Amino acid sequence: MNSKLLQPNGFMPWEKNPECFRINKAKPHSDIIPFPTVEDALSWNKEARDITDLNGTWKFRFFENPDQCDEAYPQGLECLMDTHNWGHIQVPANWQMQGYDYPQYVNVKYPWEMTEDIMPPEIPRVYNPVGIYSRTFTADKADGGRLFLRFEGIESCGEVYVNGNFVGYSEGSFTPAEYDITEFVKAGENQLVVKVLRWCDGSWLEDQDFWRLSGIFRDVYLYSLPEVYVSDWRVDALLDEDYQDGLLTVEAEVEGNTDGCLVQMELYSSKGRQIGETEAENVTDGKAVFHVEVDTPWQWSAEAPVLYTVVLRLIRKGQETILASRCGFRTFEMKDGLMMLNNKRIIFKGTNRHEFGAEFGRAITKEAMLADVLAMKRNNINAVRTSHYPNHPYWYELCDEYGLYVIDETNLETHGTWTYGVPEDQQPDVLPGSNPLWTGAVLDRVADMYYRDRNHPCVLIWSLGNESYCGTNFREMADFLRAHDKTRLVHYEGQHHCPGYGDVTDIISTMYTPVSEWVKYAEGNPEKPAILCEFAHAMGNSCGSLDKYAEAFDKYPKLQGGFIWDFVDQAILKKDEDGREYLGYGGDFGDDYTDGIFCGNGLMFADRTETPKIKETRICYQNIAFEDIDWENGEVTVRNKCLFTDLNAYRLVWSLYLDEEKTAEGELETACEPGETVKLKLPLGRLPEGSFMEAFLNMEVQLKEDTCWAKAGYAVAKGQFITGSREKLQDGKKTGGSLKVTENFSTLIVTGSDFEYRFSKRSGDFYSIRRNGREYLKAPVECNFWRASTDNDRGSKQTYRSMIWRYAGANAAKWTNKGEISPEAVEIDMKFILPTTSQAVMDTKITIRRDGSILFDNTYNGGENLPDMPEAGLMFILPESFDRFQWHGRGEHENYIDRKASAFVGTYQAKVSERMVPYLMPQECGNMTGVRRLTIAGRNGGSLTFTGFPEVEANVLPYTPEEMELAAHQKDLKPSEKTVVRINYRQTGVGGDDTWSLNARAHEEFRIKGDGTYHFAFEVKPE
């Protein structure tokens, strides 16, 4: 290639050169685009600003690798392009979402490892697609003014040309690339060309756990500034040492000839009322600095995100340039070894969040961002880590406005260059480590983030990146941030793996530490506070024991919260051979080198609907706790865990149920300062003895008024108290006609006035339940010890360790024998002898009563050294027409023994098909714990009621565990012709401290030991 930029070594300046990552790129800065009027600034009407939007349809030419591109353009791109036969592409977008190339999902490894023999800073040459973008724009060539071209995000790099002239080059996919193109444009039509590589040498620093995509994926626009303009400005809105009054500091940098130039600053309240103003100041040495004291401003927090507006006027020759920035008065600091916000110990109830959508990849929309913020606020999430790169600029505006604490993370991850547990001196290839060749690149990335985002009150912590080991380069990054910003803290988890660099982080940060180990840190009287920058790996059916972490946050002051991994499933919409849309994951797009399903770990599904996991998060993260109840006096103890909000901002609604009947309800208001408790007297009255088995007091704290994220009446906290017992439920006598037992060669038959039940003497099966001419069973009753493996089951290898249980029920030897017969009941003894390595037996004593009810009294006796069981119970296969059900138990969403804090006992109903939770890969779902009663109804009449003595776990789905086990996607589950009911002693918890080690398993107390002895009983009654 004969480009003017070609170096004597035959390469472009940035090729094989980590020290060249920007050419002619403007210095990073905060938002400096003027508003036309103060009124527009106060209403935050950014659409009124003079911006030329370059989003839309561009011309596009695609090449499979850089060599193909060079062959097509041997003279380089420094010429006007003939684009009449090019294709088209939308901007912003990832080109893989526009029909070019393919998306690839990998986690730790680099995506080119199987096809390229390269070392840093080399780039792939065999397969490394290149996209050339082109469009025209019209410019007015104003005298004296400057015209800037801004790209908010190009992945992975961009060469920019205007009218055939090289303008500049940039790396760093997630921060802006901006160029002063004043000297390159002409009046009228201009041609813009951008060359983008899928992978550049900067991609060695972008090994994040996400889909590998590319292209111009964020906004592109032009804006103009006058001859003299504010080139950057900083706004610090803090509190004084008494945390009462505000201290506002504004520092502006002015570019150009500042003779006769004045700058004035004004402060406006959230209502648009001017509350502060300075005298117009001369610009000195290119700067103007203002200090204003504000009497008792509203303090910004996630609970009350009150924003003020700073207006800056640049006055020159009678002309004004108006800038505006929203700010919030708050002080975030380390005080006495704790992170404090406005002098209160903060707890980060957070989530990680990749910017991603099934329909648009990483080119996230404003609508999706707003949906994410609303979902977080409604589910008591107060913090977000921008894993693992600076997010779209609009995200920070939303976090300012709606109230979310942000850990802003540098675009840096090199997970594939290092190994856990290996000393630094034995990892010569680690990046960036202490390698001086990469120092400039990582400092550039952290600076781009800092200058762009520093005026946002939501940003409390800067993060140096993710999973990139450590080294002196991180010390330089931390030093840069501390030198430039005294109002925030610095975070980096990677130093945890590389001794000697504890100084780079102000906070101890770990990932996926089991809660039992995490609390040991707090008990050791540590100097620094700790957070879990990633925990509760939300992959598939997960997030068990989340309540334990929430309890630790409250109990140990040094443990100041964590960030669940992560927020939205990273899946991509795809069509199968029949044209049906489905959600694809790694390996579905021809990306053979992949980490498969590991992209599906969101609290939200890929379509941004809620999973049951976020419902649990909502309760575990809530800021109001219902701690105790005195049933006799009707007194409830409530703790206000808010930092700044009194309970008088809410109303408390309560309802009392005796068994399934509501007997009383009411609402009240109370005052309770943050951090305090209050005892509330409820008019429950004296509970009538003997008229009920259990009493349930349901509590909700609701919004009194509409907010920007929810309407009045929305519950910000929920709780339930339970008293009573169901232990004597089994004692009641049954009425009905007489019972009759008949036998033939192969069958044992029990008949009553309108029912007939059949047992096979040959196979031992209980295979028919018939009443009023209706058959309720489609297959014999089986014992069952298997569930469709969850991602945590597979990741912990529990699926393989417990494989003996997969077919233990189906292959059990069954034995049936007639027991005692009386006028009241007929007893049938069933025995399931399991095909296990040591003898294990399920003894089921069946008692058929005169009213047609069937009591199943089950005892499991395990064998020595048998592995844990996924579940233990009986499985009933019903005709598909039994397609709806009602239950009295925990609900209404699925719940498990280790994830039920959010599932309160009540009476709920659902269709069988609705209980299928659409996890990215089909797996165990839909479970219900604490089931007192379960009634399954047929659309053609008839019902089957299961009653727990006292409780059971239950699951009602259209598919067997085996059918779900074999399906790779939801689309692979064909329409079902049955309803599968599993009544269990217990199902193992879902676990999820991580999804790849033994810690993925449910905690010890939530497992089922294969060598144990268990008893459970329930009644079945057809009607």
Side-chain angles (χ1 to χ4, degrees), residues 525-548:
N525 193 27
E527 178 184 349
K528 294 180 180 180
I531 62 169
L532 291 162
C533 65
E534 295 177 20
F535 82 112
H537 198 258
M539 185 172 174
N541 195 348
S542 189
C543 293
S545 297
L546 184 62
D547 54 336
K548 291 185 181 182

PDB file of all heavy atoms in Angstrom, residues 525-548:
ATOM      1  N   ASN A 525     -10.704  -7.093  61.631  1.00  0.00           N
ATOM      2  CA  ASN A 525     -10.412  -5.686  61.920  1.00  0.00           C
ATOM      3  C   ASN A 525      -9.580  -5.042  60.810  1.00  0.00           C
ATOM      4  O   ASN A 525      -8.491  -4.507  61.042  1.00  0.00           O
ATOM      5  CB  ASN A 525      -9.690  -5.553  63.258  1.00  0.00           C
ATOM      6  CG  ASN A 525      -9.655  -4.109  63.746  1.00  0.00           C
ATOM      7  OD1 ASN A 525     -10.533  -3.314  63.415  1.00  0.00           O
ATOM      8  ND2 ASN A 525      -8.638  -3.771  64.515  1.00  0.00           N
ATOM      9  N   PRO A 526     -10.075  -5.048  59.575  1.00  0.00           N
ATOM     10  CA  PRO A 526      -9.280  -4.541  58.444  1.00  0.00           C
ATOM     11  C   PRO A 526      -9.214  -3.021  58.431  1.00  0.00           C
ATOM     12  O   PRO A 526     -10.049  -2.329  59.009  1.00  0.00           O
ATOM     13  CB  PRO A 526     -10.063  -5.060  57.236  1.00  0.00           C
ATOM     14  CG  PRO A 526     -11.478  -5.112  57.724  1.00  0.00           C
ATOM     15  CD  PRO A 526     -11.401  -5.525  59.166  1.00  0.00           C
ATOM     16  N   GLU A 527      -8.215  -2.523  57.703  1.00  0.00           N
ATOM     17  CA  GLU A 527      -8.062  -1.077  57.567  1.00  0.00           C
ATOM     18  C   GLU A 527      -9.018  -0.512  56.526  1.00  0.00           C
ATOM     19  O   GLU A 527      -9.608   0.553  56.719  1.00  0.00           O
ATOM     20  CB  GLU A 527      -6.613  -0.758  57.175  1.00  0.00           C
ATOM     21  CG  GLU A 527      -6.350   0.730  56.945  1.00  0.00           C
ATOM     22  CD  GLU A 527      -4.932   0.997  56.464  1.00  0.00           C
ATOM     23  OE1 GLU A 527      -4.097   0.068  56.507  1.00  0.00           O
ATOM     24  OE2 GLU A 527      -4.655   2.127  56.036  1.00  0.00           O
ATOM     25  N   LYS A 528      -9.154  -1.224  55.405  1.00  0.00           N
ATOM     26  CA  LYS A 528      -9.969  -0.724  54.301  1.00  0.00           C
ATOM     27  C   LYS A 528     -11.339  -1.390  54.284  1.00  0.00           C
ATOM     28  O   LYS A 528     -11.480  -2.559  54.653  1.00  0.00           O
ATOM     29  CB  LYS A 528      -9.276  -0.995  52.965  1.00  0.00           C
ATOM     30  CG  LYS A 528      -7.981  -0.228  52.745  1.00  0.00           C
ATOM     31  CD  LYS A 528      -7.382  -0.576  51.384  1.00  0.00           C
ATOM     32  CE  LYS A 528      -6.083   0.181  51.136  1.00  0.00           C
ATOM     33  NZ  LYS A 528      -5.494  -0.152  49.821  1.00  0.00           N
ATOM     34  N   PRO A 529     -12.348  -0.659  53.808  1.00  0.00           N
ATOM     35  CA  PRO A 529     -13.648  -1.300  53.588  1.00  0.00           C
ATOM     36  C   PRO A 529     -13.583  -2.212  52.374  1.00  0.00           C
ATOM     37  O   PRO A 529     -12.650  -2.133  51.561  1.00  0.00           O
ATOM     38  CB  PRO A 529     -14.582  -0.120  53.346  1.00  0.00           C
ATOM     39  CG  PRO A 529     -13.707   0.927  52.734  1.00  0.00           C
ATOM     40  CD  PRO A 529     -12.355   0.759  53.400  1.00  0.00           C
ATOM     41  N   ALA A 530     -14.582  -3.065  52.253  1.00  0.00           N
ATOM     42  CA  ALA A 530     -14.581  -4.048  51.168  1.00  0.00           C
ATOM     43  C   ALA A 530     -15.908  -4.032  50.431  1.00  0.00           C
ATOM     44  O   ALA A 530     -16.963  -3.770  51.014  1.00  0.00           O
ATOM     45  CB  ALA A 530     -14.314  -5.450  51.720  1.00  0.00           C
ATOM     46  N   ILE A 531     -15.816  -4.304  49.147  1.00  0.00           N
ATOM     47  CA  ILE A 531     -17.013  -4.563  48.339  1.00  0.00           C
ATOM     48  C   ILE A 531     -16.766  -5.819  47.518  1.00  0.00           C
ATOM     49  O   ILE A 531     -15.628  -6.249  47.325  1.00  0.00           O
ATOM     50  CB  ILE A 531     -17.367  -3.395  47.392  1.00  0.00           C
ATOM     51  CG1 ILE A 531     -16.243  -3.164  46.379  1.00  0.00           C
ATOM     52  CG2 ILE A 531     -17.692  -2.134  48.168  1.00  0.00           C
ATOM     53  CD1 ILE A 531     -16.625  -2.214  45.253  1.00  0.00           C
ATOM     54  N   LEU A 532     -17.839  -6.400  47.056  1.00  0.00           N
ATOM     55  CA  LEU A 532     -17.783  -7.474  46.071  1.00  0.00           C
ATOM     56  C   LEU A 532     -18.116  -6.834  44.729  1.00  0.00           C
ATOM     57  O   LEU A 532     -19.278  -6.529  44.448  1.00  0.00           O
ATOM     58  CB  LEU A 532     -18.786  -8.575  46.412  1.00  0.00           C
ATOM     59  CG  LEU A 532     -18.472  -9.394  47.665  1.00  0.00           C
ATOM     60  CD1 LEU A 532     -19.715 -10.124  48.145  1.00  0.00           C
ATOM     61  CD2 LEU A 532     -17.355 -10.390  47.391  1.00  0.00           C
ATOM     62  N   CYS A 533     -17.083  -6.597  43.905  1.00  0.00           N
ATOM     63  CA  CYS A 533     -17.368  -5.929  42.629  1.00  0.00           C
ATOM     64  C   CYS A 533     -18.141  -6.853  41.696  1.00  0.00           C
ATOM     65  O   CYS A 533     -18.770  -6.388  40.745  1.00  0.00           O
ATOM     66  CB  CYS A 533     -16.094  -5.419  41.976  1.00  0.00           C
ATOM     67  SG  CYS A 533     -14.934  -6.677  41.457  1.00  0.00           S
ATOM     68  N   GLU A 534     -18.087  -8.151  41.957  1.00  0.00           N
ATOM     69  CA  GLU A 534     -18.963  -9.111  41.283  1.00  0.00           C
ATOM     70  C   GLU A 534     -19.322 -10.186  42.292  1.00  0.00           C
ATOM     71  O   GLU A 534     -18.450 -10.714  42.988  1.00  0.00           O
ATOM     72  CB  GLU A 534     -18.278  -9.742  40.064  1.00  0.00           C
ATOM     73  CG  GLU A 534     -17.977  -8.761  38.942  1.00  0.00           C
ATOM     74  CD  GLU A 534     -17.240  -9.396  37.766  1.00  0.00           C
ATOM     75  OE1 GLU A 534     -17.294 -10.642  37.635  1.00  0.00           O
ATOM     76  OE2 GLU A 534     -16.599  -8.650  36.997  1.00  0.00           O
ATOM     77  N   PHE A 535     -20.602 -10.528  42.373  1.00  0.00           N
ATOM     78  CA  PHE A 535     -21.040 -11.636  43.213  1.00  0.00           C
ATOM     79  C   PHE A 535     -22.399 -12.111  42.721  1.00  0.00           C
ATOM     80  O   PHE A 535     -23.002 -11.511  41.831  1.00  0.00           O
ATOM     81  CB  PHE A 535     -21.079 -11.230  44.695  1.00  0.00           C
ATOM     82  CG  PHE A 535     -22.323 -10.479  45.133  1.00  0.00           C
ATOM     83  CD1 PHE A 535     -23.232 -11.064  45.999  1.00  0.00           C
ATOM     84  CD2 PHE A 535     -22.581  -9.181  44.704  1.00  0.00           C
ATOM     85  CE1 PHE A 535     -24.368 -10.381  46.429  1.00  0.00           C
ATOM     86  CE2 PHE A 535     -23.704  -8.486  45.115  1.00  0.00           C
ATOM     87  CZ  PHE A 535     -24.608  -9.097  45.987  1.00  0.00           C
ATOM     88  N   ALA A 536     -22.870 -13.229  43.303  1.00  0.00           N
ATOM     89  CA  ALA A 536     -24.184 -13.780  42.949  1.00  0.00           C
ATOM     90  C   ALA A 536     -24.315 -13.915  41.434  1.00  0.00           C
ATOM     91  O   ALA A 536     -25.115 -13.235  40.797  1.00  0.00           O
ATOM     92  CB  ALA A 536     -25.312 -12.922  43.518  1.00  0.00           C
ATOM     93  N   HIS A 537     -23.533 -14.805  40.853  1.00  0.00           N
ATOM     94  CA  HIS A 537     -23.485 -14.980  39.398  1.00  0.00           C
ATOM     95  C   HIS A 537     -24.850 -15.434  38.891  1.00  0.00           C
ATOM     96  O   HIS A 537     -25.264 -16.578  39.081  1.00  0.00           O
ATOM     97  CB  HIS A 537     -22.400 -16.006  39.057  1.00  0.00           C
ATOM     98  CG  HIS A 537     -21.950 -15.966  37.641  1.00  0.00           C
ATOM     99  ND1 HIS A 537     -22.362 -16.878  36.700  1.00  0.00           N
ATOM    100  CD2 HIS A 537     -21.116 -15.106  36.999  1.00  0.00           C
ATOM    101  CE1 HIS A 537     -21.791 -16.600  35.539  1.00  0.00           C
ATOM    102  NE2 HIS A 537     -21.030 -15.531  35.692  1.00  0.00           N
ATOM    103  N   ALA A 538     -25.548 -14.517  38.215  1.00  0.00           N
ATOM    104  CA  ALA A 538     -26.961 -14.707  37.880  1.00  0.00           C
ATOM    105  C   ALA A 538     -27.140 -15.442  36.558  1.00  0.00           C
ATOM    106  O   ALA A 538     -27.922 -15.033  35.703  1.00  0.00           O
ATOM    107  CB  ALA A 538     -27.670 -13.363  37.846  1.00  0.00           C
ATOM    108  N   MET A 539     -26.461 -16.565  36.398  1.00  0.00           N
ATOM    109  CA  MET A 539     -26.516 -17.321  35.147  1.00  0.00           C
ATOM    110  C   MET A 539     -27.634 -18.354  35.222  1.00  0.00           C
ATOM    111  O   MET A 539     -27.614 -19.263  36.049  1.00  0.00           O
ATOM    112  CB  MET A 539     -25.175 -18.004  34.893  1.00  0.00           C
ATOM    113  CG  MET A 539     -25.091 -18.725  33.565  1.00  0.00           C
ATOM    114  SD  MET A 539     -23.396 -19.287  33.283  1.00  0.00           S
ATOM    115  CE  MET A 539     -23.619 -20.232  31.777  1.00  0.00           C
ATOM    116  N   GLY A 540     -28.612 -18.200  34.355  1.00  0.00           N
ATOM    117  CA  GLY A 540     -29.735 -19.128  34.366  1.00  0.00           C
ATOM    118  C   GLY A 540     -30.494 -19.033  35.669  1.00  0.00           C
ATOM    119  O   GLY A 540     -30.694 -17.952  36.235  1.00  0.00           O
ATOM    120  N   ASN A 541     -30.916 -20.183  36.176  1.00  0.00           N
ATOM    121  CA  ASN A 541     -31.685 -20.238  37.422  1.00  0.00           C
ATOM    122  C   ASN A 541     -30.696 -20.196  38.581  1.00  0.00           C
ATOM    123  O   ASN A 541     -30.111 -21.200  38.947  1.00  0.00           O
ATOM    124  CB  ASN A 541     -32.518 -21.526  37.453  1.00  0.00           C
ATOM    125  CG  ASN A 541     -33.583 -21.475  38.512  1.00  0.00           C
ATOM    126  OD1 ASN A 541     -33.581 -20.601  39.370  1.00  0.00           O
ATOM    127  ND2 ASN A 541     -34.515 -22.414  38.462  1.00  0.00           N
ATOM    128  N   SER A 542     -30.518 -19.025  39.169  1.00  0.00           N
ATOM    129  CA  SER A 542     -29.398 -18.806  40.087  1.00  0.00           C
ATOM    130  C   SER A 542     -29.788 -17.846  41.197  1.00  0.00           C
ATOM    131  O   SER A 542     -30.963 -17.645  41.486  1.00  0.00           O
ATOM    132  CB  SER A 542     -28.189 -18.291  39.294  1.00  0.00           C
ATOM    133  OG  SER A 542     -27.021 -18.264  40.077  1.00  0.00           O
ATOM    134  N   CYS A 543     -28.776 -17.243  41.808  1.00  0.00           N
ATOM    135  CA  CYS A 543     -28.916 -16.245  42.877  1.00  0.00           C
ATOM    136  C   CYS A 543     -29.475 -16.831  44.164  1.00  0.00           C
ATOM    137  O   CYS A 543     -30.188 -16.155  44.913  1.00  0.00           O
ATOM    138  CB  CYS A 543     -29.745 -15.042  42.427  1.00  0.00           C
ATOM    139  SG  CYS A 543     -28.929 -14.064  41.154  1.00  0.00           S
ATOM    140  N   GLY A 544     -29.145 -18.093  44.451  1.00  0.00           N
ATOM    141  CA  GLY A 544     -29.487 -18.643  45.746  1.00  0.00           C
ATOM    142  C   GLY A 544     -28.650 -18.009  46.845  1.00  0.00           C
ATOM    143  O   GLY A 544     -27.523 -17.574  46.624  1.00  0.00           O
ATOM    144  N   SER A 545     -29.199 -17.938  48.050  1.00  0.00           N
ATOM    145  CA  SER A 545     -28.530 -17.396  49.242  1.00  0.00           C
ATOM    146  C   SER A 545     -28.155 -15.933  49.100  1.00  0.00           C
ATOM    147  O   SER A 545     -27.271 -15.442  49.805  1.00  0.00           O
ATOM    148  CB  SER A 545     -27.287 -18.227  49.602  1.00  0.00           C
ATOM    149  OG  SER A 545     -27.650 -19.557  49.933  1.00  0.00           O
ATOM    150  N   LEU A 546     -28.827 -15.215  48.231  1.00  0.00           N
ATOM    151  CA  LEU A 546     -28.575 -13.778  48.114  1.00  0.00           C
ATOM    152  C   LEU A 546     -28.892 -13.070  49.429  1.00  0.00           C
ATOM    153  O   LEU A 546     -28.233 -12.081  49.784  1.00  0.00           O
ATOM    154  CB  LEU A 546     -29.430 -13.198  46.979  1.00  0.00           C
ATOM    155  CG  LEU A 546     -29.249 -11.721  46.642  1.00  0.00           C
ATOM    156  CD1 LEU A 546     -27.827 -11.439  46.174  1.00  0.00           C
ATOM    157  CD2 LEU A 546     -30.254 -11.283  45.580  1.00  0.00           C
ATOM    158  N   ASP A 547     -29.863 -13.582  50.160  1.00  0.00           N
ATOM    159  CA  ASP A 547     -30.238 -12.959  51.431  1.00  0.00           C
ATOM    160  C   ASP A 547     -29.102 -13.000  52.446  1.00  0.00           C
ATOM    161  O   ASP A 547     -28.976 -12.115  53.289  1.00  0.00           O
ATOM    162  CB  ASP A 547     -31.494 -13.611  51.997  1.00  0.00           C
ATOM    163  CG  ASP A 547     -31.383 -15.123  52.132  1.00  0.00           C
ATOM    164  OD1 ASP A 547     -30.575 -15.748  51.409  1.00  0.00           O
ATOM    165  OD2 ASP A 547     -32.124 -15.692  52.949  1.00  0.00           O
ATOM    166  N   LYS A 548     -28.222 -14.010  52.357  1.00  0.00           N
ATOM    167  CA  LYS A 548     -27.090 -14.077  53.282  1.00  0.00           C
ATOM    168  C   LYS A 548     -26.125 -12.913  53.051  1.00  0.00           C
ATOM    169  O   LYS A 548     -25.579 -12.344  54.002  1.00  0.00           O
ATOM    170  CB  LYS A 548     -26.351 -15.401  53.118  1.00  0.00           C
ATOM    171  CG  LYS A 548     -27.119 -16.632  53.577  1.00  0.00           C
ATOM    172  CD  LYS A 548     -26.215 -17.851  53.474  1.00  0.00           C
ATOM    173  CE  LYS A 548     -26.919 -19.121  53.887  1.00  0.00           C
ATOM    174  NZ  LYS A 548     -25.995 -20.291  53.829  1.00  0.00           N
TER     175      LYS A 548
END
